[in-house]
Amino acid sequence: MITKAEEADGPAINHIAASIDLFSPEEVKCVAELWREFTQKGPEASGYSFLILKEDGVVKGFACFGPRSLTQSTFDLYWIAVDPKAKRNGVGRALMEQVEKEVAGVGGRLLIAETSGQEKYAPTRAFYEGIGYCREATVRDFYAPGDDLVIYTHPLL
Amino acid sequence: MITKAEEADGPAINHIAASIDLFSPEEVKCVAELWREFTQKGPEASGYSFLILKEDGVVKGFACFGPRSLTQSTFDLYWIAVDPKAKRNGVGRALMEQVEKEVAGVGGRLLIAETSGQEKYAPTRAFYEGIGYCREATVRDFYAPGDDLVIYTHPLL
């Protein structure tokens, strides 16, 4: 079941972020900061919305998204993460479908997902490509030397 | 003369932003918000640095830049604006050179400048291309339908 995240889901969200091998300590900290902003200010003032997927009452994954400032109805997918023990069960795909519905429901027009071009992110890129996202652009050496930014886009209308 | 901006330069900076026809009201407001963050928190905590170019004591242009989170030494040029009455005097070019020096001086590796693909931004793109920036990537319809994001990059090392 996918629902909007509530305050009590914070520990599970942060725990999942910390359990993702690909996430650096800075990235885990960034998830925690966005979560704090979201719980303190709410989705509108913070600009962040969180969805969670629960199975038998246990959070198996989450997604965080929000509107991109200075654009007309473009939204960023900031984070998506699935409990490593729950992989290959369609959790990520189900979360993305709900993110798309939520974003389209508030008039969102374009969803942007950014990831790394590193070899270890090949499964992440395969995930976006598998759900039909367009590999729209690459910024070489963006994250670090040899670590490109890859921008995926998905039109919603 | 190019210097770091001080609190007293705020009105001139906001005045120049408001005088740029290309800037939307939201963009002028964004400049003001970044300026407020910068003056309240300082460059490190806010993540924003401002440089100004003065001629005869009058601010003719400004630039705002800062480190991009979750990257290794990549910096964003957030804003550059030149008093329309001072155009074609090399103010923009001089500001960019100083931004590059400042960023390189704190270990910056890559400078990113984002702009629009719209026809009315052709002079802005020509400016970046004229100073040797690489037109690295395009995200179609990013700002609005028909209004692409164009990403320029410039390596600093």
Side-chain angles (χ1 to χ4, degrees), chain B residues 57-75:
Chain B
V58 178
V59 179
K60 295 294 183 183
F62 71 90
C64 173
F65 61 94
R68 178 82 152 229
S69 61
L70 302 180
T71 71
Q72 190 186 102
S73 312
T74 293
F75 280 68

Side-chain angles (χ1 to χ4, degrees), chain A residues 26-27 30 68 70-72 74 79 109-110 112 134 136-145 151 153, chain B residues 26-27 30 68 70-72 74 79 109-110 112 134 136-145 151 153:
Chain A
E26 291 74 25
E27 289 170 327
C30 178
R68 177 83 153 226
L70 303 180
T71 70
Q72 192 187 101
T74 293
W79 299 103
R109 177 182 59 77
L110 188 69
I112 307 267
C134 172
E136 176 75 5
T138 300
V139 179
R140 290 168 294 167
D141 300 324
F142 176 85
Y143 290 111
I151 302 173
T153 60
Chain B
E26 290 75 24
E27 289 170 328
C30 179
R68 178 82 152 229
L70 302 180
T71 71
Q72 190 186 102
T74 293
W79 299 103
R109 179 182 56 78
L110 187 69
I112 307 266
C134 171
E136 176 75 5
T138 300
V139 179
R140 291 167 292 169
D141 301 324
F142 177 85
Y143 290 111
I151 302 173
T153 60

Side-chain angles (χ1 to χ4, degrees), chain B residues 21-153:
Chain B
D21 284 344
L22 278 176
F23 286 4
S24 69
E26 290 75 24
E27 289 170 328
V28 174
K29 200 175 142 198
C30 179
V31 170
E33 279 168 11
L34 268 49
W35 175 257
R36 192 162 46 238
E37 286 275 301
F38 163 73
T39 52
Q40 285 176 355
K41 300 182 182 173
E44 292 212 3
S46 71
Y48 307 125
S49 292
F50 280 82
L51 292 179
I52 52 163
L53 185 149
K54 276 187 183 178
E55 283 173 6
D56 302 327
V58 178
V59 179
K60 295 294 183 183
F62 71 90
C64 173
F65 61 94
R68 178 82 152 229
S69 61
L70 302 180
T71 71
Q72 190 186 102
S73 312
T74 293
F75 280 68
D76 280 306
L77 177 75
Y78 293 112
W79 299 103
I80 181 166
V82 176
D83 181 343
K85 298 189 292 294
K87 281 276 167 95
R88 301 185 188 284
N89 283 329
V91 174
R93 186 180 283 253
L95 277 166
M96 286 305 300
E97 280 176 11
Q98 192 58 34
V99 168
E100 291 164 16
K101 276 185 201 161
E102 299 271 337
V103 170
V106 293
R109 179 182 56 78
L110 187 69
L111 190 56
I112 307 266
E114 298 184 344
T115 191
S116 162
Q118 284 186 94
E119 183 54 35
K120 64 182 177 180
Y121 278 89
T124 305
R125 297 193 300 277
F127 168 74
Y128 290 124
E129 287 161 22
I131 59 173
Y133 279 51
C134 171
R135 186 173 172 143
E136 176 75 5
T138 300
V139 179
R140 291 167 292 169
D141 301 324
F142 177 85
Y143 290 111
D147 187 355
D148 301 343
L149 164 67
V150 181
I151 302 173
Y152 286 92
T153 60

Side-chain angles (χ1 to χ4, degrees), chain B residues 7-20:
Chain B
E7 195 146 0
D9 299 315
I13 285 170
N14 285 304
H15 180 74
I16 288 173
S19 70
I20 309 286

